[in-house]
Amino acid sequence: VKEHGYTYTFTYANDQLFKDLKAWGYPTFFVVDGNGVVQDVVVGFKEDQIRASVANSLATLKKTAKADKPGMAFGHKGMGS
């Protein structure tokens, strides 16, 4: 993991988690929101699809945050919002 600079979470030797999540291929990427809800699943290493999924999830989160708090921007000033 360190050798390749991956920044996402790996679960090694966790067959039960693999079964619980009904994953069927390696690698399987789960895009999970801040509430622990799986927003998308990508099977196989498809970098463009993974990036698009994360971008879509973040866009949805930003829209939800704005709808919940009218007039409030997502994030904090100076933090890339």
Side-chain angles (χ1 to χ4, degrees):
V1 174
K2 288 180 184 178
E3 176 183 335
H4 296 286
Y6 298 133
T7 58
Y8 41 85
T9 303
F10 280 79
T11 58
Y12 294 107
N14 196 334
D15 292 335
Q16 189 57 52
L17 178 63
F18 195 77
K19 290 175 186 175
D20 291 347
L21 294 173
K22 296 179 177 55
W24 55 270
Y26 290 100
T28 301
F29 295 87
F30 294 90
V31 179
V32 182
D33 69 16
N35 295 317
V37 177
V38 175
Q39 296 296 317
D40 197 9
V41 178
V42 179
V43 179
F45 190 80
K46 303 170 188 164
E47 187 173 356
D48 291 343
Q49 188 177 355
I50 295 165
R51 289 182 184 277
S53 176
V54 170
N56 287 337
S57 293
L58 288 173
T60 299
L61 179 63
K62 287 180 182 181
K63 287 178 189 176
T64 302
K66 285 181 181 179
D68 289 345
K69 297 181 182 178
M72 301 276 299
F74 178 80
H76 299 281
K77 191 172 184 177
M79 297 283 292
S81 56

